[in-house]
Amino acid sequence: MNKLLALFVVLLMPIAASAAIDGLGIQSDFCPGGVQGCSALMQVQNNHTGFGDTFPPSGGFSEGSEMDELYVFASAGSLALNITGNLEDNGNFWMIFLDTASGGQNTLSIANEDIHWAVRSLTGTKFDAGFEPDYIIAMNVWDGTLYVDLVNLQTDTKEYLGSIAFGTDGELAGGTVAGTVVGFDNTNSSGVTSDNTRDAAQQMLDAATASKGLEMLINLSAVGLDQSVSSIKLMTLLASNGGYLSNQFLPGIGGGGQKDNLGMAPVDLSSADVAPGNQFAQVTLVQKTASAPDGENIPADSGSATLAATQNNFTQFGDSNSAGEAGSSGSELDALFLSNTAAALQMGITGNLEANGNFYAIFLETGPGGVSVLSVPEGAGPMSGVLTALNGTAFDGGFSPTHVLFVNAGSESSGQFAYVDLFDLRTNTGRYVGKVAVGSGASTLEEGDNPNGLALAFDNSNAVGVTGDAVKTPAENETDAKTADTGLEALIPFADIGLAQTTIRYMVVLTGNKGYFSNQFLPGLGGGYSNLGDPPKDINLLAGLQYGTYTVTGLTYPTFDTVSSVKSQPDGTAARITAVVTWVLADSDEFYIQSGPPGDASGILVRGGAAGLSVGQTATVSGLLGRYFGERVLHAADVVPGAAAQEPEPFVVTNRSLGGAGVGDNPGISGEALGFGANNVGLLMKSCGKVTGMAYDDLGYPFFYMNDGTNLNDGNIFGYTGVRVEMMQWMMAPATDTFVSVTGVSSIYRPETQHNRRLRVRSDADIVTVAP
């Protein structure tokens, strides 16, 4: 649990990852805290269906101290920090540790005697690796008043932010830094109890009952941030004024079994024996308008999309007291839920699907290379021809799907089944993934081609949700849509959808078997739309955006020893590799890396993170494996420059050997002059030949062809023989009939879908004239 919390971005954790994929209880699977504000709930239907319808304590004093839930978001130049719980006025402190910049403290060291002893006494406490807080917000209460200090760990200084009376709200008074707005209600009597026999899951349910405590808006600049901030790391704890640590941390420490108070500081929070997992959360800051802070109704004010951590442990600092059938007679799309595991997209769609050839078409954009207008070959996609019937349909600007998943229902002698097809719009290739019995609770697909284990379950018994009443408002339709709780649940491996970025764009539409468009889209069209009718359609002409955005969270990047071992993985694999930089393309923010001994050398293009790199330097790249215009590529999430290294020598080959044959997921040369020998796309290579002609591409970059006598022909419009050599824009091509030796990175280019050889030259020095 805590490991997942440390990787938290939008969701507390990918809840649905542990739920059965059965098509039942979708709302509770994805939103255990309720649908309101749930970040897994991406879209709710807001239109009727045209494809047919089926039917305290006593005041400000607290007898104990606890921390139940932590909510974090950004709002109008401020950082919102909301904590449910209560704080005893006996010298106990709530402390919020914030990691907002580089250069913080992984082991706490505070010398300034002006800083309250409760904070200084924690000196020597060690945090988990990757957490180096820069600030501490320290709070205590006395005689009905909350007092707040801000400690800067980088400068070893303190600012008194001020105080505020219980049960009131507004700007802190009497402090040296203006602008912090707080509401504090100390009457919480719910949340966790002192019962240590309840497990972590039960404690979290208890914690979710608390709704009162602290609501704080602190200026971003006060904690070293500005409007560009997208994420922070943070941790909260409860301690006495003498440095005695409770067992109340957020993220909680009870995931590996209930923990007693940790005792006198310092402690080593990085030790699994002291606090299992990571005691910090990494939070993507949802931009949200904050309501007036009053310390009440905190979950509703915050929204669960901003939930950073929930308490999973009891307190020892004292406790405050206190249907339908398997078939469907109609089709509709009610709500879409998304979350993810480390290797797959988790999806839930509430609704129902008539077994008459209707389709759920789920369009996903998972990286570059997608299409803005559908154009697939005849015979592509499901046997009904639904995909080819959609040819010519244009998507909203900003949405270029790379994949489409089709689901339809049908009857056989043995029962009703859901059928699944997946199509890659980048390569115009697809496959029938398999079928599963409707309403069976099973999710294992049978009889199809499913190498990565895509799982899907479909319960088609929904009889609620949106209705056929055309006069209902969008708000009324959304209320109806939220009543549906059954439908489709799927686990879609990233390897199947070629994940190349952490942002997935999506659109779901209900169609007939020949692509006839209903009025059921997610995101919804809004009230009042009738069925859109026969394809093709220009989605751009519809009001609003007919696509949404989901951010993948919690990815880890396993370390690979060589580039070849990375390239042996399927698209969508997250990987980390350290290798030597062989070329930096600063203008396009790309670079090539290469690793391995001569017998196992391999190279790959990296997109992103090129700034500051130089040839011959090592770089550690963390990213997602995919492809870019046919070539395998690592889409960088993080690049760490390394030390200088030995630039690899190029491999000397004939023209025919450039590119090489395809192997696994790594394309080689195709067409008339098929790949020959080992795949070497991405490697530094050298070849030679006579220049047979030159030209410029559409962007003004020069290229020429050289022929070593093998007379290769890639079908170029000029009729030049040999291999294509591409240069940088400022370079001059050698004269025709000149014999040259050329060093460059072996690559491929794709006129239409044929993979052709190309050698990409880095500088003038890479072209050596041998003879005129």
Side-chain angles (χ1 to χ4, degrees), residues 716-746:
N716 65 84
I717 62 174
F718 309 102
Y720 299 148
T721 56
V723 65
R724 178 177 171 125
V725 179
E726 295 185 355
M727 298 176 290
M728 302 307 292
Q729 205 164 16
W730 62 84
M731 297 176 64
M732 292 287 293
T736 299
D737 293 332
T738 300
F739 286 88
V740 292
S741 170
V742 179
T743 298
V745 175
S746 174

PDB file of all heavy atoms in Angstrom, residues 716-746:
ATOM      1  N   ASN A 716      12.581   5.455 -55.135  1.00  0.00           N
ATOM      2  CA  ASN A 716      12.496   6.911 -55.049  1.00  0.00           C
ATOM      3  C   ASN A 716      12.121   7.507 -56.408  1.00  0.00           C
ATOM      4  O   ASN A 716      12.413   6.931 -57.460  1.00  0.00           O
ATOM      5  CB  ASN A 716      13.799   7.504 -54.519  1.00  0.00           C
ATOM      6  CG  ASN A 716      14.968   7.290 -55.457  1.00  0.00           C
ATOM      7  OD1 ASN A 716      15.183   8.051 -56.408  1.00  0.00           O
ATOM      8  ND2 ASN A 716      15.754   6.228 -55.203  1.00  0.00           N
ATOM      9  N   ILE A 717      11.474   8.666 -56.360  1.00  0.00           N
ATOM     10  CA  ILE A 717      10.927   9.265 -57.585  1.00  0.00           C
ATOM     11  C   ILE A 717      12.004   9.751 -58.539  1.00  0.00           C
ATOM     12  O   ILE A 717      11.728  10.027 -59.718  1.00  0.00           O
ATOM     13  CB  ILE A 717       9.984  10.434 -57.241  1.00  0.00           C
ATOM     14  CG1 ILE A 717      10.750  11.551 -56.500  1.00  0.00           C
ATOM     15  CG2 ILE A 717       8.797   9.949 -56.412  1.00  0.00           C
ATOM     16  CD1 ILE A 717       9.910  12.793 -56.261  1.00  0.00           C
ATOM     17  N   PHE A 718      13.257   9.848 -58.064  1.00  0.00           N
ATOM     18  CA  PHE A 718      14.342  10.357 -58.919  1.00  0.00           C
ATOM     19  C   PHE A 718      15.007   9.253 -59.730  1.00  0.00           C
ATOM     20  O   PHE A 718      15.762   9.535 -60.654  1.00  0.00           O
ATOM     21  CB  PHE A 718      15.397  11.055 -58.057  1.00  0.00           C
ATOM     22  CG  PHE A 718      14.825  12.078 -57.115  1.00  0.00           C
ATOM     23  CD1 PHE A 718      14.658  11.784 -55.771  1.00  0.00           C
ATOM     24  CD2 PHE A 718      14.449  13.329 -57.578  1.00  0.00           C
ATOM     25  CE1 PHE A 718      14.134  12.723 -54.901  1.00  0.00           C
ATOM     26  CE2 PHE A 718      13.916  14.261 -56.715  1.00  0.00           C
ATOM     27  CZ  PHE A 718      13.755  13.965 -55.371  1.00  0.00           C
ATOM     28  N   GLY A 719      14.777   8.009 -59.322  1.00  0.00           N
ATOM     29  CA  GLY A 719      15.426   6.897 -60.000  1.00  0.00           C
ATOM     30  C   GLY A 719      16.850   6.676 -59.567  1.00  0.00           C
ATOM     31  O   GLY A 719      17.592   5.927 -60.218  1.00  0.00           O
ATOM     32  N   TYR A 720      17.278   7.310 -58.456  1.00  0.00           N
ATOM     33  CA  TYR A 720      18.647   7.124 -57.970  1.00  0.00           C
ATOM     34  C   TYR A 720      18.798   5.723 -57.394  1.00  0.00           C
ATOM     35  O   TYR A 720      17.917   5.223 -56.683  1.00  0.00           O
ATOM     36  CB  TYR A 720      18.989   8.142 -56.885  1.00  0.00           C
ATOM     37  CG  TYR A 720      18.917   9.593 -57.305  1.00  0.00           C
ATOM     38  CD1 TYR A 720      18.557  10.581 -56.392  1.00  0.00           C
ATOM     39  CD2 TYR A 720      19.231   9.978 -58.609  1.00  0.00           C
ATOM     40  CE1 TYR A 720      18.512  11.914 -56.757  1.00  0.00           C
ATOM     41  CE2 TYR A 720      19.188  11.306 -58.986  1.00  0.00           C
ATOM     42  CZ  TYR A 720      18.818  12.280 -58.054  1.00  0.00           C
ATOM     43  OH  TYR A 720      18.768  13.587 -58.428  1.00  0.00           O
ATOM     44  N   THR A 721      19.944   5.098 -57.681  1.00  0.00           N
ATOM     45  CA  THR A 721      20.246   3.790 -57.107  1.00  0.00           C
ATOM     46  C   THR A 721      21.154   3.975 -55.896  1.00  0.00           C
ATOM     47  O   THR A 721      21.829   4.982 -55.736  1.00  0.00           O
ATOM     48  CB  THR A 721      20.949   2.885 -58.139  1.00  0.00           C
ATOM     49  OG1 THR A 721      22.134   3.552 -58.615  1.00  0.00           O
ATOM     50  CG2 THR A 721      20.023   2.583 -59.301  1.00  0.00           C
ATOM     51  N   GLY A 722      21.172   2.939 -55.025  1.00  0.00           N
ATOM     52  CA  GLY A 722      22.026   2.987 -53.852  1.00  0.00           C
ATOM     53  C   GLY A 722      21.225   3.190 -52.579  1.00  0.00           C
ATOM     54  O   GLY A 722      20.023   2.914 -52.510  1.00  0.00           O
ATOM     55  N   VAL A 723      21.892   3.693 -51.552  1.00  0.00           N
ATOM     56  CA  VAL A 723      21.272   3.906 -50.253  1.00  0.00           C
ATOM     57  C   VAL A 723      21.144   5.401 -49.995  1.00  0.00           C
ATOM     58  O   VAL A 723      22.014   6.194 -50.389  1.00  0.00           O
ATOM     59  CB  VAL A 723      22.084   3.213 -49.138  1.00  0.00           C
ATOM     60  CG1 VAL A 723      23.464   3.833 -48.982  1.00  0.00           C
ATOM     61  CG2 VAL A 723      21.344   3.250 -47.813  1.00  0.00           C
ATOM     62  N   ARG A 724      20.069   5.804 -49.356  1.00  0.00           N
ATOM     63  CA  ARG A 724      19.802   7.215 -49.097  1.00  0.00           C
ATOM     64  C   ARG A 724      20.657   7.683 -47.917  1.00  0.00           C
ATOM     65  O   ARG A 724      20.676   7.065 -46.849  1.00  0.00           O
ATOM     66  CB  ARG A 724      18.313   7.389 -48.782  1.00  0.00           C
ATOM     67  CG  ARG A 724      17.874   8.815 -48.448  1.00  0.00           C
ATOM     68  CD  ARG A 724      16.362   8.823 -48.247  1.00  0.00           C
ATOM     69  NE  ARG A 724      15.858  10.073 -47.735  1.00  0.00           N
ATOM     70  CZ  ARG A 724      14.901  10.789 -48.324  1.00  0.00           C
ATOM     71  NH1 ARG A 724      14.386  10.386 -49.479  1.00  0.00           N
ATOM     72  NH2 ARG A 724      14.452  11.894 -47.770  1.00  0.00           N
ATOM     73  N   VAL A 725      21.347   8.823 -48.112  1.00  0.00           N
ATOM     74  CA  VAL A 725      22.165   9.442 -47.065  1.00  0.00           C
ATOM     75  C   VAL A 725      21.573  10.811 -46.759  1.00  0.00           C
ATOM     76  O   VAL A 725      21.503  11.667 -47.646  1.00  0.00           O
ATOM     77  CB  VAL A 725      23.640   9.579 -47.501  1.00  0.00           C
ATOM     78  CG1 VAL A 725      24.451  10.250 -46.384  1.00  0.00           C
ATOM     79  CG2 VAL A 725      24.228   8.227 -47.853  1.00  0.00           C
ATOM     80  N   GLU A 726      21.121  11.017 -45.542  1.00  0.00           N
ATOM     81  CA  GLU A 726      20.475  12.271 -45.162  1.00  0.00           C
ATOM     82  C   GLU A 726      21.441  13.135 -44.365  1.00  0.00           C
ATOM     83  O   GLU A 726      22.164  12.646 -43.485  1.00  0.00           O
ATOM     84  CB  GLU A 726      19.209  11.998 -44.346  1.00  0.00           C
ATOM     85  CG  GLU A 726      18.140  11.276 -45.155  1.00  0.00           C
ATOM     86  CD  GLU A 726      16.845  11.111 -44.378  1.00  0.00           C
ATOM     87  OE1 GLU A 726      16.807  11.472 -43.185  1.00  0.00           O
ATOM     88  OE2 GLU A 726      15.870  10.621 -44.967  1.00  0.00           O
ATOM     89  N   MET A 727      21.430  14.439 -44.660  1.00  0.00           N
ATOM     90  CA  MET A 727      22.359  15.379 -44.040  1.00  0.00           C
ATOM     91  C   MET A 727      21.602  16.444 -43.255  1.00  0.00           C
ATOM     92  O   MET A 727      20.386  16.605 -43.415  1.00  0.00           O
ATOM     93  CB  MET A 727      23.218  16.053 -45.122  1.00  0.00           C
ATOM     94  CG  MET A 727      24.090  15.078 -45.900  1.00  0.00           C
ATOM     95  SD  MET A 727      24.992  15.911 -47.230  1.00  0.00           S
ATOM     96  CE  MET A 727      23.651  16.298 -48.344  1.00  0.00           C
ATOM     97  N   MET A 728      22.346  17.198 -42.453  1.00  0.00           N
ATOM     98  CA  MET A 728      21.760  18.330 -41.763  1.00  0.00           C
ATOM     99  C   MET A 728      21.570  19.478 -42.749  1.00  0.00           C
ATOM    100  O   MET A 728      22.193  19.536 -43.806  1.00  0.00           O
ATOM    101  CB  MET A 728      22.656  18.759 -40.597  1.00  0.00           C
ATOM    102  CG  MET A 728      22.916  17.640 -39.570  1.00  0.00           C
ATOM    103  SD  MET A 728      21.390  16.879 -38.936  1.00  0.00           S
ATOM    104  CE  MET A 728      20.711  18.232 -38.003  1.00  0.00           C
ATOM    105  N   GLN A 729      20.725  20.431 -42.372  1.00  0.00           N
ATOM    106  CA  GLN A 729      20.254  21.448 -43.306  1.00  0.00           C
ATOM    107  C   GLN A 729      21.386  22.318 -43.859  1.00  0.00           C
ATOM    108  O   GLN A 729      21.320  22.799 -44.995  1.00  0.00           O
ATOM    109  CB  GLN A 729      19.205  22.328 -42.617  1.00  0.00           C
ATOM    110  CG  GLN A 729      18.228  22.991 -43.561  1.00  0.00           C
ATOM    111  CD  GLN A 729      17.009  23.513 -42.831  1.00  0.00           C
ATOM    112  OE1 GLN A 729      17.009  23.646 -41.620  1.00  0.00           O
ATOM    113  NE2 GLN A 729      15.948  23.811 -43.568  1.00  0.00           N
ATOM    114  N   TRP A 730      22.416  22.522 -43.061  1.00  0.00           N
ATOM    115  CA  TRP A 730      23.493  23.435 -43.468  1.00  0.00           C
ATOM    116  C   TRP A 730      24.569  22.751 -44.298  1.00  0.00           C
ATOM    117  O   TRP A 730      25.509  23.391 -44.767  1.00  0.00           O
ATOM    118  CB  TRP A 730      24.152  24.041 -42.226  1.00  0.00           C
ATOM    119  CG  TRP A 730      24.796  23.011 -41.337  1.00  0.00           C
ATOM    120  CD1 TRP A 730      26.040  22.469 -41.456  1.00  0.00           C
ATOM    121  CD2 TRP A 730      24.187  22.379 -40.210  1.00  0.00           C
ATOM    122  NE1 TRP A 730      26.267  21.545 -40.477  1.00  0.00           N
ATOM    123  CE2 TRP A 730      25.138  21.471 -39.693  1.00  0.00           C
ATOM    124  CE3 TRP A 730      22.947  22.483 -39.583  1.00  0.00           C
ATOM    125  CZ2 TRP A 730      24.880  20.681 -38.569  1.00  0.00           C
ATOM    126  CZ3 TRP A 730      22.702  21.710 -38.462  1.00  0.00           C
ATOM    127  CH2 TRP A 730      23.648  20.821 -37.980  1.00  0.00           C
ATOM    128  N   MET A 731      24.463  21.454 -44.515  1.00  0.00           N
ATOM    129  CA  MET A 731      25.531  20.711 -45.170  1.00  0.00           C
ATOM    130  C   MET A 731      25.377  20.728 -46.692  1.00  0.00           C
ATOM    131  O   MET A 731      24.283  20.913 -47.225  1.00  0.00           O
ATOM    132  CB  MET A 731      25.556  19.268 -44.651  1.00  0.00           C
ATOM    133  CG  MET A 731      25.861  19.157 -43.159  1.00  0.00           C
ATOM    134  SD  MET A 731      25.778  17.452 -42.545  1.00  0.00           S
ATOM    135  CE  MET A 731      27.113  16.708 -43.477  1.00  0.00           C
ATOM    136  N   MET A 732      26.500  20.543 -47.358  1.00  0.00           N
ATOM    137  CA  MET A 732      26.541  20.475 -48.821  1.00  0.00           C
ATOM    138  C   MET A 732      26.769  19.029 -49.248  1.00  0.00           C
ATOM    139  O   MET A 732      27.664  18.351 -48.749  1.00  0.00           O
ATOM    140  CB  MET A 732      27.669  21.339 -49.380  1.00  0.00           C
ATOM    141  CG  MET A 732      27.446  22.832 -49.181  1.00  0.00           C
ATOM    142  SD  MET A 732      26.169  23.479 -50.271  1.00  0.00           S
ATOM    143  CE  MET A 732      26.980  23.276 -51.867  1.00  0.00           C
ATOM    144  N   ALA A 733      25.958  18.564 -50.168  1.00  0.00           N
ATOM    145  CA  ALA A 733      26.102  17.199 -50.661  1.00  0.00           C
ATOM    146  C   ALA A 733      27.324  17.103 -51.582  1.00  0.00           C
ATOM    147  O   ALA A 733      27.652  18.049 -52.308  1.00  0.00           O
ATOM    148  CB  ALA A 733      24.854  16.770 -51.413  1.00  0.00           C
ATOM    149  N   PRO A 734      28.008  15.970 -51.564  1.00  0.00           N
ATOM    150  CA  PRO A 734      29.129  15.785 -52.492  1.00  0.00           C
ATOM    151  C   PRO A 734      28.622  15.694 -53.931  1.00  0.00           C
ATOM    152  O   PRO A 734      27.458  15.385 -54.180  1.00  0.00           O
ATOM    153  CB  PRO A 734      29.760  14.465 -52.030  1.00  0.00           C
ATOM    154  CG  PRO A 734      28.660  13.739 -51.326  1.00  0.00           C
ATOM    155  CD  PRO A 734      27.804  14.791 -50.692  1.00  0.00           C
ATOM    156  N   ALA A 735      29.502  15.973 -54.859  1.00  0.00           N
ATOM    157  CA  ALA A 735      29.123  16.001 -56.274  1.00  0.00           C
ATOM    158  C   ALA A 735      28.785  14.600 -56.787  1.00  0.00           C
ATOM    159  O   ALA A 735      29.331  13.591 -56.323  1.00  0.00           O
ATOM    160  CB  ALA A 735      30.256  16.599 -57.098  1.00  0.00           C
ATOM    161  N   THR A 736      27.888  14.564 -57.749  1.00  0.00           N
ATOM    162  CA  THR A 736      27.530  13.297 -58.400  1.00  0.00           C
ATOM    163  C   THR A 736      28.776  12.662 -59.016  1.00  0.00           C
ATOM    164  O   THR A 736      29.664  13.352 -59.528  1.00  0.00           O
ATOM    165  CB  THR A 736      26.474  13.558 -59.483  1.00  0.00           C
ATOM    166  OG1 THR A 736      25.316  14.119 -58.861  1.00  0.00           O
ATOM    167  CG2 THR A 736      26.081  12.268 -60.188  1.00  0.00           C
ATOM    168  N   ASP A 737      28.855  11.330 -58.949  1.00  0.00           N
ATOM    169  CA  ASP A 737      29.960  10.509 -59.446  1.00  0.00           C
ATOM    170  C   ASP A 737      31.184  10.543 -58.543  1.00  0.00           C
ATOM    171  O   ASP A 737      32.203   9.920 -58.850  1.00  0.00           O
ATOM    172  CB  ASP A 737      30.365  10.894 -60.875  1.00  0.00           C
ATOM    173  CG  ASP A 737      29.271  10.579 -61.880  1.00  0.00           C
ATOM    174  OD1 ASP A 737      28.483   9.640 -61.619  1.00  0.00           O
ATOM    175  OD2 ASP A 737      29.198  11.269 -62.914  1.00  0.00           O
ATOM    176  N   THR A 738      31.102  11.274 -57.405  1.00  0.00           N
ATOM    177  CA  THR A 738      32.188  11.245 -56.421  1.00  0.00           C
ATOM    178  C   THR A 738      32.082   9.964 -55.593  1.00  0.00           C
ATOM    179  O   THR A 738      30.981   9.537 -55.229  1.00  0.00           O
ATOM    180  CB  THR A 738      32.097  12.458 -55.473  1.00  0.00           C
ATOM    181  OG1 THR A 738      32.205  13.649 -56.241  1.00  0.00           O
ATOM    182  CG2 THR A 738      33.191  12.418 -54.419  1.00  0.00           C
ATOM    183  N   PHE A 739      33.246   9.351 -55.300  1.00  0.00           N
ATOM    184  CA  PHE A 739      33.280   8.204 -54.413  1.00  0.00           C
ATOM    185  C   PHE A 739      33.468   8.699 -52.983  1.00  0.00           C
ATOM    186  O   PHE A 739      34.386   9.488 -52.709  1.00  0.00           O
ATOM    187  CB  PHE A 739      34.406   7.239 -54.789  1.00  0.00           C
ATOM    188  CG  PHE A 739      34.095   6.448 -56.028  1.00  0.00           C
ATOM    189  CD1 PHE A 739      34.418   6.946 -57.290  1.00  0.00           C
ATOM    190  CD2 PHE A 739      33.467   5.209 -55.934  1.00  0.00           C
ATOM    191  CE1 PHE A 739      34.131   6.208 -58.428  1.00  0.00           C
ATOM    192  CE2 PHE A 739      33.174   4.476 -57.080  1.00  0.00           C
ATOM    193  CZ  PHE A 739      33.503   4.980 -58.329  1.00  0.00           C
ATOM    194  N   VAL A 740      32.589   8.257 -52.054  1.00  0.00           N
ATOM    195  CA  VAL A 740      32.631   8.763 -50.682  1.00  0.00           C
ATOM    196  C   VAL A 740      32.559   7.611 -49.698  1.00  0.00           C
ATOM    197  O   VAL A 740      32.017   6.540 -49.983  1.00  0.00           O
ATOM    198  CB  VAL A 740      31.473   9.742 -50.410  1.00  0.00           C
ATOM    199  CG1 VAL A 740      31.647  11.039 -51.197  1.00  0.00           C
ATOM    200  CG2 VAL A 740      30.128   9.099 -50.703  1.00  0.00           C
ATOM    201  N   SER A 741      33.122   7.884 -48.526  1.00  0.00           N
ATOM    202  CA  SER A 741      32.955   7.021 -47.356  1.00  0.00           C
ATOM    203  C   SER A 741      32.119   7.811 -46.346  1.00  0.00           C
ATOM    204  O   SER A 741      32.459   8.943 -46.008  1.00  0.00           O
ATOM    205  CB  SER A 741      34.318   6.657 -46.758  1.00  0.00           C
ATOM    206  OG  SER A 741      34.164   6.009 -45.509  1.00  0.00           O
ATOM    207  N   VAL A 742      31.029   7.228 -45.869  1.00  0.00           N
ATOM    208  CA  VAL A 742      30.076   7.963 -45.041  1.00  0.00           C
ATOM    209  C   VAL A 742      29.854   7.234 -43.714  1.00  0.00           C
ATOM    210  O   VAL A 742      29.593   6.024 -43.692  1.00  0.00           O
ATOM    211  CB  VAL A 742      28.723   8.116 -45.763  1.00  0.00           C
ATOM    212  CG1 VAL A 742      27.731   8.861 -44.868  1.00  0.00           C
ATOM    213  CG2 VAL A 742      28.903   8.848 -47.082  1.00  0.00           C
ATOM    214  N   THR A 743      29.995   7.997 -42.617  1.00  0.00           N
ATOM    215  CA  THR A 743      29.666   7.508 -41.275  1.00  0.00           C
ATOM    216  C   THR A 743      28.361   8.168 -40.830  1.00  0.00           C
ATOM    217  O   THR A 743      28.158   9.371 -41.024  1.00  0.00           O
ATOM    218  CB  THR A 743      30.776   7.849 -40.283  1.00  0.00           C
ATOM    219  OG1 THR A 743      31.982   7.204 -40.692  1.00  0.00           O
ATOM    220  CG2 THR A 743      30.413   7.387 -38.872  1.00  0.00           C
ATOM    221  N   GLY A 744      27.470   7.406 -40.243  1.00  0.00           N
ATOM    222  CA  GLY A 744      26.215   7.959 -39.749  1.00  0.00           C
ATOM    223  C   GLY A 744      25.445   6.926 -38.963  1.00  0.00           C
ATOM    224  O   GLY A 744      25.890   5.792 -38.770  1.00  0.00           O
ATOM    225  N   VAL A 745      24.278   7.327 -38.494  1.00  0.00           N
ATOM    226  CA  VAL A 745      23.422   6.411 -37.738  1.00  0.00           C
ATOM    227  C   VAL A 745      22.493   5.693 -38.709  1.00  0.00           C
ATOM    228  O   VAL A 745      21.810   6.318 -39.518  1.00  0.00           O
ATOM    229  CB  VAL A 745      22.602   7.164 -36.675  1.00  0.00           C
ATOM    230  CG1 VAL A 745      21.625   6.220 -35.988  1.00  0.00           C
ATOM    231  CG2 VAL A 745      23.518   7.816 -35.650  1.00  0.00           C
ATOM    232  N   SER A 746      22.480   4.388 -38.620  1.00  0.00           N
ATOM    233  CA  SER A 746      21.612   3.575 -39.456  1.00  0.00           C
ATOM    234  C   SER A 746      20.166   3.773 -39.019  1.00  0.00           C
ATOM    235  O   SER A 746      19.839   3.711 -37.829  1.00  0.00           O
ATOM    236  CB  SER A 746      22.000   2.100 -39.338  1.00  0.00           C
ATOM    237  OG  SER A 746      21.091   1.280 -40.038  1.00  0.00           O
TER     238      SER A 746
END
